[in-house]
Amino acid sequence: MTHYFYKSESPEVVAELMAWEAKKAVFDAARLRLKEVFGAPGSPMKSGTTLYVGGVKLSADSALDPHWCRPDDFGYRSLRVAAKPPKGITKEERAAIREEHKRLLALWEEHCPGRVDGDELWRAIGINNGSIWLSGGISFAQDGVGYFAFGFEINQERHDALVSSGQGTNGWVDGAVEIFPREYEAARLAKLEPKSEAAHG
């Protein structure tokens, strides 16, 4: 797929990108804090442009099966909607398992972060959500500039013409100018550098 690269120095656009990144950071911090509650971090799941936690990375020990689904391909286990006590146990044991499950569900409700919808960002900066779903889009802010990589081309003149004629449009990012891939890549690497230093520091 061909990618098109843009940047924008619009304060409003950069502010929206930074707000989105802050929201993702809060989500990730809460996801990782699940380790303190359940003994393992939450899964970084994504559906379309939505981020969510689908489970925690627990062991495959069958003793956990009454409360947790079997691990997925990445080792994450999701909490069952209802407890699934094993066969051949006493009535009292079944009751204890159900009580424990209520406790786990309450902890999940309290500590698991809610879904974060990336469509909010795209709408805020003027990009059609459907275009992102069909062709993809990446964005980030770095040193007061917003950077974008789209699987579709945005063109202000064409956008304005389509709007005036009542046709659909991919949208337009305020202040966007097309840039070479190398400029985008340099900004992306600069964005990643602090994270890399923190991971090794």
Side-chain angles (χ1 to χ4, degrees):
M1 176 188 292
T2 300
H3 281 85
Y4 302 90
F5 302 92
Y6 302 87
K7 70 177 181 181
S8 171
E9 297 183 20
S10 163
E12 291 78 11
V13 169
V14 174
E16 291 291 350
L17 290 173
M18 293 180 68
W20 167 244
E21 291 177 2
K23 186 179 290 187
K24 285 197 299 181
V26 169
F27 169 86
D28 277 328
R31 176 180 66 80
L32 293 173
R33 279 199 303 273
L34 291 180
K35 183 175 182 179
E36 301 170 12
V37 182
F38 297 107
S43 60
M45 303 292 285
K46 188 174 184 180
S47 175
T49 61
T50 300
L51 304 176
Y52 68 98
V53 172
V56 293
K57 201 155 196 174
L58 299 172
S59 76
D61 188 344
S62 60
L64 298 174
D65 290 357
H67 304 294
W68 302 88
C69 296
R70 296 301 296 168
D72 62 16
D73 293 340
F74 302 99
Y76 290 101
R77 305 187 70 162
S78 57
L79 186 62
R80 296 183 186 278
V81 176
K84 188 178 180 182
K87 295 179 180 178
I89 62 174
T90 66
K91 182 179 179 181
E92 290 75 18
E93 288 172 328
R94 286 178 178 275
I97 286 175
R98 291 194 175 98
E99 281 302 310
E100 171 62 8
H101 200 71
K102 288 180 182 178
R103 187 185 74 85
L104 292 173
L105 287 172
L107 287 173
W108 186 266
E109 181 69 24
E110 180 182 356
H111 297 284
C112 181
R115 291 176 175 248
V116 179
D117 186 2
D119 283 350
E120 296 176 3
L121 167 67
W122 299 118
R123 285 193 294 267
I125 63 175
I127 291 294
N128 183 293
N129 301 354
S131 298
I132 298 296
W133 279 73
L134 288 172
S135 304
I138 300 172
S139 65
F140 61 90
Q142 174 64 17
D143 291 337
V145 180
Y147 293 88
F148 304 89
F150 294 128
F152 54 89
E153 187 174 11
I154 59 173
N155 179 284
Q156 188 170 26
E157 291 182 2
R158 181 172 182 273
H159 164 75
D160 293 344
L162 289 171
V163 170
S164 63
S165 65
Q167 299 181 52
T169 172
N170 287 327
W172 175 254
V173 179
D174 184 49
V177 293
E178 192 166 5
I179 59 176
F180 288 111
R182 62 175 177 269
E183 183 176 352
Y184 174 89
E185 184 63 12
R188 187 185 72 84
L189 292 175
K191 181 77 172 181
L192 292 175
E193 187 174 344
K195 294 182 181 179
S196 178
E197 289 178 353
H200 293 87

